[in-house]
C-alpha cells in the first residue's frame, strides 16, 4: 500500500493531465448542459378532462364522472383518484401508487380504459382528454399580443401564424392560446319562418350536415386503369351554406337556408376573458421539450418575436410575462457571483495560513470537483437547476476540507525541513485513511435522501447524486493530483508568527480547560438540551417558507349570478388597486375572468426578482390585504403567495368524505368556522360553493308521447335557442371553422321558453308550454369525489410567523372531533401538511440508517466502540449554533436548513475524525514520554491550523450567499446560514468539547482496564 501511495506522489505529469482534462471536460459540458428551473419530474399524476356543454353539475356527475370512475376502479396501481363535476365539464385527477414497477404501462392502461368508454351522452362531441402531468409540460414564457390598429379577425390570423412558427423553433414542444375566440359561421334561424315553411329544426340540421360531405364509394373496376370514385358535396367556401336546400316540393317550392336564416361570420361565445396589464388580447403559452434548455429556448422565441414585430410594422404590441428563464438566469448569476466572491475569500484565507503555491493547488480542487460534477450530470442526463445548484454549494465546503487536510499535512512536513517528495509522501499517508472515511461517511449521510418519499423525494434525488459525483472527484483529486502537485512545488520555509502566538495562547487555554473537562462536558450538554427544547417549543418547521417569492395570487369572488362582463368590470378595479400598491416592483398582472365560473376572477401578480425589489413580497402582500376592503360589491377578495419549491398544494387541505351528504355538509360548516377562529389561518376556501340559480324545464313525458314528440327533439330546440349547436365544419388554413346553428338571436331570456314551439314527428307545431312547466331553483354546487365517494375539501393558507401547517391541522381535527360529532365522516389530510409528513418520515428513517452505517465505518477505522460515539456526538452539538442563528436571524427552520445541517455533518465529522485519528497516533507514539493531558493538548495544537482553516474556508465560501453579497437568494440563504453558523459553533466544539470527551474516554477505558485487572487478580 505504501509503495502504491509513493507511486501516486511521483506522477506529476499524470496529476497535471488529470486536473486539466477534468476542468476542460467540465467547461465543455457547462456550455452544453441543459438549464432548467427544476429537475424533469414525472408527478405520477394524470388528469382526465371531459367537456359536456350546457350540462348541470349533477348531470356531469351522473353521465360522465361516474361512468369514467367505474372504469378506473378496475385499474391496478392507482393510489387514489379525485374528481370535480362542474357545469359543463368533468375533471378527474389520478394519482398513481409509488411502488408501481412500470408506470408507463399503467398510464397506457388508463388511456385504453378511457378510449373504451362508449356510453357517454351524444352531446359529448370531443373524446375525454387524458393529460400526463410533468414538469416539462409547464409553460416557460407567456407572450401577450394585442393591437389598437388591427381588427380582431386579422389579429387572430396573425396569432395563428405566429403560434405555428414558434412551434417550429428548436426546443419548443407546444404553443397553447388563451383569450382566443375561434371563428365560427353563425346560422341564426328565424323561428317564425321555420314555422311558416313547416320545417323542424332537426330537418334543417340534417340538410346542412348531408350537404357538406365527402366519401369514397369504391373503384371503377378497370383492370388496366383503375380509379377511385369519390362523391363530393363539400362546401368550397363558407358562403356555400346559404344555398343549402332545406325543403323542396314537386310544385316547385324550394326553400334554401338563406330564406329562413341570417348567416354571418362571427366568433364563438366568450366564456372567459384573459387580460395582461389591463389589456385584452391573445396570450401564447410556450412549452418546451423535456430535454430543451429553458434559457436558450426562451432566447430563440424572443429573437423570433423581435423579427415578427418588424414584420408587422410594429403595429403589434408584444409583452412577455411568466418568463421562467429570467428566474433561472437570475439564480445562476447570484450563485455564480457569490461563488466567485467566496473563491476569492478562500484564496485569501489559504494564503494567510499556508504558502500561496499550496493555496493555489488547493483552490484548483474546487473547479476540478465542481466542473467534473457538471460533466457527470450532463452524461447522466441531469440538468443544472435550483436543486443541483444547491447541492454544489453544499459540497463546496466538504471538497475544500478534504484538500486542506491533505495539503496542510504535507505543508506541516515541509516546514520540518524534509524534501518535497518525502514531505508529500508522509503528509499524504498520514491523513489518507481519515479522508477516505470522511468521504464515505458524507456519502452515507446524503444517500438517505434517496429514500425521501412524496413529491419532495422526486425533486431532491439529484442532491445526493451531485454529492456523490463531487466527492468521488474530490477523492481522485486529493489522491491522484494534489500530492503530486505539492511534491513538485518548491517552497521556502514560511514563518507565521501571528498564528504561532495564537497557537501558544490556545495551548495554555486548552491545558486549563482539560482540568475541568467534566464541567465543560456538562455545560455543553445542558446547552444542547436547552437549545433542543427551545427549538421544539418556540421555533417552527416549515418545509418551504413563503419568503422571497416572485408572484402573488389574487382570487376575487362576486355574487353567484354575476355575468362575465360584470365580473370583468370589477376585476379592472382590483387591477388598479394592484398597480397603485405594488408600484415599481410590478412586472405584470395577468387576469383570468370566468375560467370556471363567470362570477370568479383570478389574477397572478408577477414581481421583480427579490434582489431588485424596493419592498419584500411580505410587505406587498400585507398592503394588498389591508386595502382589499376598498373594493365594494365583492363577496371575497383574497391575496396569497405560492410557496417556492416543488408543487405541494395549499398549506392546509382537509378532505371530508361521507356517504351521508347532510352530515358531511354539517362537518364542513363546522370545520370552516374552526379554521376561521385559528390565528394565522387565511384564504379559507371550500369546493362545494353553490353555483348559479337554475331554471328547470320539467317535461311531461305522457303528454309528449300523445303529441308524438321525443326528448331529443326538445333538447335540440332548447340548446339551439340558448347555446347553439355545431352542425358541420370547413377547413380554413390550419383551423377547423364550425357552422353553429342558433334559434333566433343570442340575447334571449327565460321568457323565450314560453313562446318556443316544437315541430313533432307529424310536422305539427306544438308550443313547449303544452307539455312542460318551468320553475326556478337554487343553484347546485360542484360535486366532488374522493375515490368515487362524494367529498368536500376545505383549504387554507398559513402565516408562518403565527403558526405552522402541522399545528393548524392538529388543532382543527381535534376541535372537529369527527368520532364524536360526525361518526359517518372521515377526514383525509392533503396538500402541504401531507407532503411535509410524507417527505420527512422517510428521510428520518433513512438518516438513522445512515448514522448506523457511519458508526460501522468508524468502528472499522478506529477498532473501537467509544471513539466513533465521540465523533458522532459532534453532530447534535454542532446543531446548537444552527438553532440560535436561525432564532436571532428571525428565520424558520426549513428544508434547505436541513440540507445545510447535512453538509455541516460532513464538515464536522471530517474535522473530528482527523483530530481523533491524530490523537490516536500521538497516543501510540508519546504515551511514555508525555502525560495524557500533554499529548492531548499537543495533538489538538497540531491540528489547530487544519481545523481553523477548514472552518474559515467553508465560511468564506458560503457567507457571501448567506448575506447576499453577490445577490440575495432567499431559498438558498437558510442553507448557507445553517452551514455557516453551525460550523462556527462546531469549530468551538471540535477544539474544546472533543478533547474533553476524548480525555473522559481515555480515563474511562483506563478505569475499566484496572477494574478488569483487579477482578482477574482477585
Amino acid at each position: 500500500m505504501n509503495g502504491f501511495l509513493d507511486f501516486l506522489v511521483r506522477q506529476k505529469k499524470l496529476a497535471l493531465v488529470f486536473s486539466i482534462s477534468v476542468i476542460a471536460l467540465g467547461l465543455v459540458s457547462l456550455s452544453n448542459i441543459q438549464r432548467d428551473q427544476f429537475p424533469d419530474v414525472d408527478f405520477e399524476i394524470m388528469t382526465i378532462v371531459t367537456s359536456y356543454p350546457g350540462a348541470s353539475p349533477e348531470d356531469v356527475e351522473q353521465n360522465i364522472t361516474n361512468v369514467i370512475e367505474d372504469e378506473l376502479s378496475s385499474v391496478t396501481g392507482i393510489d387514489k383518484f379525485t374528481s370535480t363535476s362542474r357545469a359543463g365539464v368533468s375533471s378527474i385527477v389520478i394519482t398513481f401508487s409509488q411502488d408501481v414497477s412500470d408506470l408507463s404501462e399503467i398510464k397506457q392502461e388508463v388511456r385504453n380504459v378511457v378510449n373504451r368508454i362508449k356510453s357517454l351522452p351524444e352531446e359529448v362531441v370531443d373524446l375525454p382528454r387524458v393529460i400526463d402531468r410533468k414538469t416539462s409540460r409547464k409553460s416557460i414564457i407567456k407572450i401577450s399580443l394585442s393591437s389598437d390598429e388591427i381588427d380582431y379577425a386579422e389579429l387572430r390570423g396573425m396569432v395563428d401564424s405566429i403560434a405555428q412558427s414558434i412551434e417550429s423553433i428548436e426546443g419548443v414542444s407546444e404553443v397553447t392560446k388563451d383569450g382566443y375566440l375561434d371563428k365560427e359561421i353563425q346560422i341564426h334561424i328565424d323561428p317564425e319562418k321555420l314555422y311558416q315553411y313547416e320545417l323542424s329544426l332537426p330537418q334543417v340540421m340534417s340538410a346542412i350536415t348531408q350537404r357538406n360531405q365527402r366519401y369514397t364509394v369504391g373503384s371503377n373496376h378497370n383492370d388496366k386503369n383503375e380509379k377511385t370514385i369519390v362523391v363530393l358535396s363539400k362546401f368550397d367556401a363558407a358562403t356555400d351554406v346559404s344555398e343549402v336546400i332545406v325543403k323542396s316540393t314537386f310544385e316547385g317550392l324550394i326553400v334554401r337556408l338563406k330564406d329562413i336564416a341570417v348567416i354571418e361570420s362571427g366568433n364563438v361565445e366568450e366564456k372567459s376573458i384573459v387580460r395582461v396589464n389591463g389589456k385584452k388580447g391573445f396570450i401564447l403559452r410556450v412549452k418546451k421539450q423535456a430535454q430543451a434548455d429553458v434559457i436558450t429556448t426562451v432566447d430563440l422565441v424572443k429573437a423570433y418575436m423581435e423579427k415578427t414585430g418588424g414584420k408587422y410594422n410594429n403595429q403589434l404590441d408584444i409583452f412577455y410575462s411568466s418568463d421562467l428563464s429570467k428566474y433561472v438566469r437570475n439564480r445562476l448569476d447570484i450563485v455564480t457571483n457569490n461563488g466567485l466572491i467566496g473563491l476569492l475569500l478562500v484564496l485569501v484565507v489559504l494564503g494567510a495560513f499556508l504558502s500561496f503555491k499550496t493555496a493555489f493547488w488547493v483552490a484548483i480542487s474546487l473547479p476540478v470537483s465542481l466542473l467534473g460534477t457538471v460533466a457527470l450530470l450532463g452524461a447522466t442526463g441531469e440538468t443544472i437547476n435550483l436543486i443541483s445548484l444547491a447541492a454544489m454549494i453544499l459540497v463546496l465546503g466538504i471538497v475544500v476540507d478534504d484538500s486542506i487536510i491533505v495539503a496542510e499535512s504535507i505543508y506541516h512536513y515541509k516546514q520540518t525541513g524534509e524534501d518535497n517528495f518525502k514531505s508529500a509522501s508522509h503528509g499524504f499517508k498520514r491523513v489518507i485513511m481519515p479522508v477516505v472515511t470522511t468521504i464515505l461517511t458524507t456519502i452515507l449521510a446524503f444517500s438517505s435522501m434517496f429514500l425521501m418519499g412524496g413529491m419532495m423525494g422526486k425533486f431532491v434525488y439529484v442532491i445526493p447524486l451531485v454529492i456523490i459525483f463531487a466527492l468521488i472527484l474530490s477523492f481522485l483529486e486529493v489522491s491522484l493530483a494534489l500530492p503530486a502537485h505539492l511534491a513538485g512545488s518548491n517552497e521556502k520555509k514560511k514563518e507565521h508568527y501571528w498564528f504561532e502566538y495564537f497557537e501558544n495562547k490556545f495551548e495554555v487555554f486548552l491545558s486549563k480547560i482539560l482540568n475541568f473537562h467534566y464541567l465543560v462536558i456538562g455545560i455543553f450538554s445542558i446547552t444542547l438540551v436547552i437549545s433542543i427544547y427551545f427549538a421544539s417549543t418556540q421555533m417552527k418547521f416549515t418545509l418551504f417558507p413563503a419568503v422571497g417569492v416572485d408572484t402573488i395570487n389574487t382570487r376575487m369572488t362576486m355574487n353567484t349570478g354575476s355575468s362575465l362582463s360584470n365580473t370583468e368590470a370589477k376585476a379592472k378595479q382590483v387591477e388598479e388597486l394592484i398597480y397603485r400598491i405594488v408600484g415599481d416592483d410590478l412586472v405584470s398582472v395577468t387576469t383570468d375572468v370566468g375560467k370556471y365560473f363567470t362570477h370568479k376572477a383570478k389574477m397572478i401578480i408577477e414581481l421583480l426578482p427579490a434582489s431588485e425589489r424596493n419592498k419584500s413580497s411580505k410587505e406587498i402582500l400585507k398592503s394588498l390585504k389591508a386595502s382589499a376592503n376598498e373594493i365594494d360589491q365583492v363577496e371575497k377578495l383574497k391575496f396569497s403567495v405560492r410557496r417556492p419549491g416543488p408543487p405541494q398544494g395549499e398549506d392546509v387541505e382537509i378532505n371530508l368524505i361521507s356517504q351521508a351528504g347532510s352530515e358531511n355538509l354539517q362537518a364542513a360548516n363546522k370545520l370552516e368556522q374552526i379554521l376561521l377562529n385559528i390565528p394565522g389561518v387565511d384564504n379559507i376556501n371550500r369546493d362545494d360553493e353553490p353555483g348559479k340559480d337554475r331554471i328547470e324545464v320539467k317535461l311531461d313525458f305522457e303528454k309528449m308521447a300523445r303529441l308524438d314528440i321525443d326528448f331529443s327533439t326538445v333538447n335540440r330546440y332548447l340548446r339551439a335557442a340558448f347555446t347553439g349547436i355545431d352542425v358541420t365544419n370547413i377547413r380554413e388554413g390550419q383551423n377547423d371553422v364550425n357552422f353553429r346553428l342558433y334559434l333566433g338571436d343570442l340575447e334571449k331570456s327565460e321568457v323565450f321558453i314560453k313562446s318556443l314551439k316544437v315541430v313533432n314527428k307529424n310536422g305539427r307545431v306544438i308550443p313547449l308550454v303544452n307539455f312542460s312547466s318551468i320553475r326556478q331553483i337554487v343553484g347546485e354546487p360542484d360535486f366532488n369525489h374522493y375515490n368515487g365517494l362524494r367529498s368536500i375539501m376545505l383549504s387554507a393558507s398559513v402565516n408562518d410567523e403565527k403558526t405552522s401547517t402541522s399545528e393548524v391541522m392538529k388543532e382543527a381535527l381535534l376541535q372537529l372531533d369527527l368520532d364524536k360529532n360526525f361518526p359517518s365522516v372521515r377526514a383525509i389530510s392533503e396538500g402541504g401538511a401531507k407532503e411535509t409528513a410524507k417527505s420527512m418520515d422517510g428521510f428520518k428513517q433513512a438518516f438513522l440508517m445512515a448514522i448506523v452505517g457511519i458508526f460501522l465505518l468508524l468502528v472499522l477505522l478506529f477498532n473501537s466502540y467509544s471513539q466513533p460515539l465521540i465523533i458522532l456526538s459532534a453532530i447534535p452539538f454542532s446543531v446548537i449554533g444552527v438553532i440560535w442563528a436561525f432564532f436571532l436571524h428571525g428565520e424558520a427552520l426549513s428544508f434547505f436548513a436541513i440540507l445545510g445541517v447535512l453538509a455541516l455533518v460532513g464538515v464536522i465529522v471530517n474535522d473530528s475524525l482527523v483530530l481523533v485519528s491524530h490523537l490516536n497516533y500521538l497516543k501510540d507514539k508519546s504515551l511514555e514520554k508525555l502525560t495524557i493531558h500533554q499529548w492531548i493538548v499537543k495533538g489538538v495544537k497540531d491540528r489547530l491550523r487544519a481545523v481553523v482553516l477548514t472552518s474559515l474556508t467553508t465560511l468564506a465560501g458560503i457567507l457571501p450567499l448567506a448575506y447576499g453579497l453577490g445577490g440575495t437568494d432567499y431559498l438558498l440563504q437558510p442553507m448557507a446560514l445553517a452551514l455557516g453558523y453551525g460550523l462556527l459553533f462546531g469549530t468551538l466544539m471540535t477544539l474544546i468539547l472533543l478533547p474533553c470527551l476524548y480525555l473522559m474516554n481515555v480515563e474511562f477505558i483506563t478505569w475499566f482496564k484496572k477494574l478488569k485487572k483487579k477482578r482477574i487478580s482477585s
Side-chain angles (χ1 to χ4, degrees):
M1 183 67 177
N2 284 338
F4 178 69
L5 296 179
D6 287 338
F7 171 77
L8 291 178
V9 174
R10 294 181 187 278
Q11 304 307 308
K12 299 176 186 177
K13 291 183 175 62
L14 174 64
L16 193 59
V17 169
F18 172 78
S19 298
I20 293 174
S21 298
V22 172
I23 291 172
L25 188 62
L27 289 172
V28 171
S29 299
L30 191 61
S31 62
N32 296 320
I33 195 168
Q34 179 187 343
R35 294 162 295 179
D36 216 332
Q37 186 181 26
F38 290 114
D40 186 17
V41 171
D42 187 335
F43 292 125
E44 296 180 0
I45 291 174
M46 294 184 88
T47 305
I48 303 172
V49 180
T50 311
S51 180
Y52 186 9
S56 68
E58 189 170 12
D59 290 337
V60 172
E61 180 194 43
Q62 298 296 329
N63 299 321
I64 305 291
T65 305
N66 288 347
V67 173
I68 298 176
E69 286 183 342
D70 288 345
E71 294 292 334
L72 289 175
S73 60
S74 65
V75 179
T76 56
I78 291 178
D79 180 42
K80 67 175 182 180
F81 52 83
T82 59
S83 65
T84 300
S85 302
R86 57 170 57 96
V89 65
S90 163
S91 177
I92 302 174
V93 179
I94 305 166
T95 304
F96 296 100
S97 177
Q98 292 193 1
D99 55 6
V100 171
S101 57
D102 190 352
L103 189 61
S104 59
E105 184 179 331
I106 297 175
K107 287 184 176 181
Q108 187 56 50
E109 189 176 349
V110 168
R111 294 186 184 96
N112 294 339
V113 161
V114 172
N115 292 335
R116 283 200 303 265
I117 298 172
K118 304 298 181 186
S119 56
L120 298 178
E122 65 176 20
E123 290 83 5
V124 178
V125 180
D126 299 320
L127 290 173
R129 289 185 297 122
V130 182
I131 304 164
D132 196 354
R133 283 190 60 193
K134 295 181 178 180
T135 51
S136 57
R137 292 189 60 84
K138 185 178 180 181
S139 65
I140 57 173
I141 189 171
K142 296 177 187 174
I143 307 170
S144 175
L145 301 170
S146 61
S147 178
D148 297 327
E149 304 173 37
I150 306 172
D151 64 52
Y152 188 89
E154 185 181 354
L155 184 58
R156 180 173 54 200
M158 291 180 182
V159 170
D160 287 338
S161 175
I162 290 169
Q164 187 180 353
S165 297
I166 290 176
E167 283 188 336
S168 66
I169 292 174
E170 184 181 357
V172 175
S173 65
E174 182 185 0
V175 178
T176 57
K177 293 172 275 194
D178 287 342
Y180 183 94
L181 300 180
D182 287 318
K183 177 183 177 181
E184 70 175 12
I185 307 301
Q186 297 175 351
I187 304 169
H188 295 276
I189 303 288
D190 186 332
E192 296 304 321
K193 290 184 179 180
L194 195 68
Y195 307 144
Q196 176 188 333
Y197 290 110
E198 297 180 347
L199 284 165
S200 70
L201 200 61
Q203 277 181 277
V204 177
M205 293 171 61
S206 177
I208 298 170
T209 303
Q210 292 179 18
R211 170 62 180 80
N212 190 35
Q213 296 284 343
R214 173 194 175 102
Y215 47 91
T216 303
V217 296
S219 68
N220 62 349
H221 302 293
N222 188 315
D223 291 338
K224 295 182 178 180
N225 189 18
E226 190 173 60
K227 297 177 182 177
T228 302
I229 300 172
V230 180
V231 177
L232 293 176
S233 63
K234 293 284 288 183
F235 296 145
D236 293 323
T239 52
D240 291 351
V241 73
S242 63
E243 299 299 326
V244 171
I245 297 172
V246 293
K247 185 177 183 181
S248 63
T249 63
F250 285 108
E251 289 79 17
L253 176 66
I254 295 178
V255 181
R256 301 182 189 275
L257 187 60
K258 64 183 179 182
D259 298 327
I260 61 169
V262 174
I263 302 162
E264 59 186 7
S265 177
N267 302 320
V268 298
E269 182 185 0
E270 190 172 41
K271 295 181 179 178
S272 65
I273 297 170
V274 180
R275 298 163 53 87
V276 177
N277 288 350
K279 295 182 71 173
K280 283 176 68 172
F282 298 93
I283 295 179
L284 302 180
R285 297 177 186 264
V286 182
K287 298 179 182 179
K288 74 175 186 67
Q289 295 168 356
Q291 305 304 319
D293 182 274
V294 65
I295 294 176
T296 304
T297 307
V298 169
D299 287 346
L300 289 172
V301 170
K302 287 184 174 180
Y304 167 76
M305 291 307 300
E306 284 182 19
K307 292 179 182 177
T308 302
K311 178 181 175 182
Y312 294 111
N313 299 320
N314 296 318
Q315 292 179 314
L316 206 57
D317 296 327
I318 303 171
F319 182 80
Y320 304 107
S321 60
S322 301
D323 182 357
L324 283 189
S325 72
K326 180 172 62 178
Y327 300 107
V328 175
R329 201 190 310 263
N330 184 59
R331 179 155 280 129
L332 281 170
D333 289 344
I334 288 173
V335 172
T336 303
N337 292 340
N338 285 311
L340 290 173
I341 294 171
L343 182 59
L344 181 63
L345 292 175
V346 167
L347 279 169
V348 170
V349 171
L350 288 171
F353 282 83
L354 308 172
S355 69
F356 279 101
K357 286 184 179 180
T358 303
F360 172 77
W361 288 119
V362 169
I364 284 294
S365 65
L366 282 174
V368 168
S369 298
L370 296 183
L371 288 173
T373 300
V374 170
L376 290 173
L377 284 175
T380 53
E382 299 297 336
T383 65
I384 294 292
N385 53 65
L386 165 64
I387 309 297
S388 55
L389 279 174
M392 287 182 188
I393 294 166
L394 282 175
V395 81
L396 200 67
I398 303 169
V399 167
V400 171
D401 281 2
D402 293 337
S403 299
I404 286 174
I405 288 169
V406 173
E408 194 277 337
S409 180
I410 293 171
Y411 182 79
H412 171 75
Y413 280 98
K414 282 187 177 182
Q415 295 300 298
T416 62
E418 287 189 2
D419 65 59
N420 288 348
F421 171 74
K422 286 185 178 179
S423 298
S425 180
H426 289 161
F428 179 43
K429 291 173 185 176
R430 275 285 298 111
V431 295
I432 186 60
M433 284 309 296
V435 166
V436 170
T437 308
T438 296
I439 288 172
L440 291 175
T441 56
T442 307
I443 287 174
L444 272 174
F446 276 96
S447 293
S448 58
M449 298 186 73
F450 279 128
L451 301 178
M452 184 177 280
M455 189 61 66
M456 275 298 302
K458 298 178 187 301
F459 277 82
V460 303
Y461 79 94
V462 75
I463 291 177
L465 198 64
V466 168
I467 301 295
I468 291 169
F469 286 163
L471 290 178
I472 289 172
L473 286 160
S474 175
F475 169 70
L476 292 174
E477 168 66 16
V478 299
S479 56
L480 289 179
L482 186 59
H485 289 320
L486 295 178
S489 62
N490 296 313
E491 302 171 53
K492 294 179 181 178
K493 187 174 180 180
K494 186 177 179 181
E495 300 292 342
H496 296 278
Y497 296 109
W498 65 273
F499 192 71
E500 289 175 6
Y501 174 79
F502 176 71
E503 282 180 321
N504 294 332
K505 289 291 183 182
F506 177 77
E507 183 179 10
V508 174
F509 171 74
L510 186 60
S511 298
K512 293 178 180 179
I513 285 290
L514 289 178
N515 292 325
F516 306 97
H517 56 283
Y518 287 106
L519 177 63
V520 171
I521 294 169
I523 292 171
F524 270 89
S525 300
I526 292 169
T527 306
L528 176 63
V529 171
I530 293 172
S531 299
I532 291 174
Y533 176 78
F534 178 82
S536 60
T537 56
Q538 303 299 318
M539 298 180 72
K540 298 176 178 63
F541 176 79
T542 307
L543 201 61
F544 291 102
V547 294
V549 296
D550 298 318
T551 57
I552 296 176
N553 297 324
T554 307
R555 291 178 181 174
M556 184 189 79
T557 305
M558 304 281 290
N559 63 294
T560 308
S562 177
S563 66
L564 190 68
S565 58
N566 184 53
T567 306
E568 182 192 17
K570 192 58 64 174
K572 290 178 182 178
Q573 295 182 28
V574 178
E575 288 172 351
E576 292 298 326
L577 175 73
I578 292 167
Y579 298 146
R580 176 167 56 83
I581 290 175
V582 181
D584 294 335
D585 291 329
L586 183 68
V587 174
S588 67
V589 179
T590 302
T591 305
D592 200 332
V593 183
K595 184 172 184 179
Y596 296 119
F597 303 100
T598 57
H599 68 290
K600 291 186 177 183
K602 181 181 178 182
M603 301 167 199
I604 298 175
I605 305 168
E606 185 181 353
L607 306 173
L608 288 170
S611 56
E612 300 174 20
R613 287 201 295 266
N614 299 317
K615 294 181 286 186
S616 69
S617 57
K618 189 183 295 185
E619 292 172 316
I620 294 170
L621 182 64
K622 186 177 180 181
S623 300
L624 287 169
K625 286 182 175 180
S627 304
N629 293 331
E630 295 179 18
I631 309 296
D632 58 356
Q633 299 176 6
V634 171
E635 288 193 355
K636 291 180 184 177
L637 181 58
K638 299 290 185 180
F639 298 93
S640 63
V641 295
R642 180 192 172 280
R643 296 183 183 277
Q648 53 178 331
E650 296 293 339
D651 296 342
V652 174
E653 288 183 3
I654 301 175
N655 241 322
L656 300 175
I657 304 165
S658 175
Q659 292 285 56
S662 58
E663 191 164 306
N664 209 24
L665 182 61
Q666 292 171 18
N669 292 337
K670 183 174 182 181
L671 179 58
E672 185 176 16
Q673 289 303 313
I674 291 170
L675 291 173
L676 284 168
N677 293 326
I678 297 178
V681 178
D682 196 10
N683 296 321
I684 300 167
N685 287 292
R686 48 193 292 177
D687 60 7
D688 67 334
E689 294 180 351
K692 292 182 180 179
D693 291 348
R694 290 192 306 177
I695 299 166
E696 283 198 349
V697 179
K698 188 171 177 61
L699 300 175
D700 187 327
F701 286 95
E702 187 175 330
K703 288 183 179 179
M704 287 172 63
R706 290 174 183 166
L707 294 170
D708 210 10
I709 299 171
D710 59 42
F711 173 76
S712 62
T713 301
V714 177
N715 183 36
R716 286 180 176 179
Y717 272 87
L718 288 170
R719 287 175 63 82
F722 292 96
T723 306
I725 302 173
D726 290 331
V727 287
T728 188
N729 61 62
I730 189 173
R731 190 75 171 174
E732 286 189 359
Q734 297 294 318
N735 301 315
D736 288 327
V737 178
N738 287 328
F739 290 83
R740 196 166 182 84
L741 186 145
Y742 298 90
L743 191 59
D745 57 46
L746 296 175
E747 302 297 326
K748 294 179 290 295
S749 67
E750 64 268 25
V751 178
F752 181 75
I753 299 174
K754 297 179 180 179
S755 63
L756 186 63
K757 299 173 185 177
V758 177
V759 177
N760 70 358
K761 293 178 182 178
N762 300 320
R764 290 178 54 204
V765 178
I766 312 293
L768 187 66
V769 292
N770 287 5
F771 56 87
S772 68
S773 59
I774 300 171
R775 63 174 181 173
Q776 292 195 24
I777 63 171
V778 176
E780 62 189 11
D782 295 344
F783 291 106
N784 303 284
H785 291 179
Y786 187 97
N787 284 344
L789 300 175
R790 279 197 177 176
S791 65
I792 301 174
M793 188 176 77
L794 286 88
S795 61
S797 57
V798 171
N799 185 339
D800 296 334
E801 294 180 354
K802 295 182 179 179
T803 185
S804 67
T805 298
S806 56
E807 288 175 4
V808 171
M809 291 290 296
K810 184 178 178 181
E811 179 66 22
L813 293 176
L814 184 67
Q815 290 188 40
L816 187 60
D817 196 0
L818 288 175
D819 292 339
K820 179 182 177 182
N821 299 321
F822 309 100
S824 70
V825 180
R826 65 189 178 103
I828 296 177
S829 65
E830 301 285 337
K834 184 177 181 180
E835 277 302 317
T836 301
K838 189 186 291 185
S839 300
M840 298 314 298
D841 285 348
F843 173 70
K844 288 173 188 174
Q845 294 175 10
F847 186 68
L848 288 174
M849 291 170 60
I851 293 296
V852 172
I854 291 170
F855 177 77
L856 293 175
L857 272 175
L858 295 176
V859 169
L860 184 65
L861 177 68
F862 293 116
N863 192 27
S864 165
Y865 299 119
S866 56
Q867 288 187 355
L869 292 175
I870 292 174
I871 292 169
L872 289 176
S873 69
I875 297 172
F877 281 109
S878 62
V879 174
I880 296 173
V882 178
I883 292 170
W884 293 107
F886 272 68
F887 172 69
L888 294 173
H889 282 81
E891 294 277 347
L893 295 171
S894 63
F895 172 72
F896 278 99
I898 290 177
L899 289 186
V901 171
L902 275 177
L904 177 64
V905 168
V907 177
I908 294 297
V909 167
N910 193 342
D911 288 343
S912 304
L913 193 152
V914 174
L915 179 57
V916 170
S917 178
H918 185 64
L919 289 174
N920 288 343
Y921 170 75
L922 286 182
K923 177 184 176 183
D924 297 335
K925 189 177 179 181
S926 311
L927 194 57
E928 297 178 358
K929 301 176 185 176
L930 303 172
T931 65
I932 296 174
H933 280 226
Q934 288 174 333
W935 58 256
I936 290 179
V937 170
K938 182 181 184 329
V940 177
K941 181 184 175 184
D942 288 345
R943 299 305 305 161
L944 179 63
R945 179 167 50 191
V947 171
V948 172
L949 254 181
T950 53
S951 300
L952 287 180
T953 50
T954 304
L955 283 172
I958 55 94
L959 280 182
L961 185 63
Y963 290 103
L965 301 182
T968 305
D969 190 318
Y970 288 98
L971 210 55
L972 300 181
Q973 201 171 39
M975 183 180 72
L977 281 174
L979 180 53
Y981 283 92
L983 190 57
L984 275 177
F985 192 86
T987 303
L988 186 69
M989 188 276 311
T990 303
L991 295 175
I992 297 175
L993 177 62
L994 193 67
C996 294
L997 288 171
Y998 190 90
L999 177 59
M1000 184 182 75
N1001 182 58
V1002 170
E1003 289 176 345
F1004 174 77
I1005 291 172
T1006 304
W1007 171 82
F1008 186 77
K1009 285 180 178 178
K1010 286 181 180 178
L1011 183 65
K1012 189 176 179 182
K1013 186 176 181 181
K1014 185 177 180 182
R1015 283 184 177 180
I1016 293 172
S1017 60
S1018 61

